[in-house]
Amino acid sequence: MSTLKVDTLDTRTGSGNITVSRPLSGSGASLTSLPAANLTGAMASGVTGVGKVLQVVESVRAGQVGSSSTSWTDTLVNASITPASTSNKFLIIYHTTVHLSQADKRSYHTLFRGTISGTELASSVGLGVVQQGSDAGLYSVVGISLMDSPSTTSSQTYTAGFKAESGLTHYVQINNITSTMQLMEIAG
């Protein structure tokens, strides 16, 4: 275990400072639970500011979805979140396992704001691409992370979509392997 010992931390802008009073021992004295009496300066009123995670929403989905469509198809993985401010952003993290039934074909994956007929958050080829070369029937993991700035305080739904290269049948959530989507609201 490592220990960090400091008396003063400078603010990001270099103006002013954050002072932690000594001693930092006893009940409630930790980085996750620092008594307000031990803080002075701007931080005394609590942790605030840009970059703070305000809320987290998670969606977990099992149940096979298969398609051979060359148009975007709904994976049935989606999550909704309502932002507290128009300046806030969302970090979207999506993971799925894909099974390709044919070799040398590509499976494309992307995220949408709204449904799959909504706003695509990537180019037309998607954010994640899987190709298995000469071995068909293998499983591959697709992971997508991106920031979105919807500039609204209305509820937002995000949906994962996938589409096939011509001649491919592919599956997500096959054999009940779960897909997940996390939405994190970040203070702007």
Side-chain angles (χ1 to χ4, degrees):
M1 177 184 281
S2 298
T3 302
L4 174 65
K5 296 180 180 183
V6 298
D7 291 319
T8 302
L9 300 172
D10 286 331
T11 62
R12 182 174 50 93
T13 61
S15 62
N17 58 46
I18 303 164
T19 303
V20 179
S21 301
R22 289 185 187 192
L24 261 183
S25 61
S27 174
S30 71
L31 289 178
T32 57
S33 177
L34 183 62
N38 288 19
L39 297 174
T40 61
M43 294 298 286
S45 62
V47 177
T48 61
V50 175
K52 179 180 177 185
V53 176
L54 302 175
Q55 63 174 316
V56 178
V57 173
E58 181 176 46
S59 174
V60 178
R61 169 87 171 132
Q64 177 176 304
V65 178
S67 175
S68 55
S69 175
T70 57
S71 298
W72 290 115
T73 302
D74 193 340
T75 64
L76 304 179
V77 179
N78 59 65
S80 296
I81 192 168
T82 302
S85 168
T86 58
S87 62
N88 294 348
K89 299 178 180 187
F90 294 124
L91 173 60
I92 306 158
I93 302 170
Y94 169 69
H95 290 100
T96 192
T97 300
V98 61
H99 172 81
L100 281 64
S101 60
Q102 288 86 18
D104 295 319
K105 297 289 184 178
R106 291 182 183 95
S107 174
Y108 301 96
H109 301 259
T110 196
L111 298 173
F112 294 87
R113 187 183 317 125
T115 65
I116 60 166
S117 58
T119 303
E120 185 181 348
L121 300 176
S123 67
S124 62
V125 295
L127 294 167
V129 180
V130 174
Q131 181 175 3
Q132 293 179 331
S134 61
D135 293 326
L138 299 177
Y139 294 83
S140 296
V141 175
V142 174
I144 298 172
S145 299
L146 64 83
M147 293 290 285
D148 184 39
S149 303
S151 300
T152 184
T153 55
S154 298
S155 178
Q156 299 296 299
T157 297
Y158 293 90
T159 302
F162 72 136
K163 68 179 178 179
E165 182 176 356
S166 181
L168 171 68
T169 301
H170 58 163
Y171 304 87
V172 292
Q173 291 108 232
I174 193 168
N175 295 326
N176 283 319
I177 297 172
T178 58
S179 296
T180 61
M181 181 183 291
Q182 293 91 22
L183 308 177
M184 295 183 208
E185 183 179 7
I186 310 296

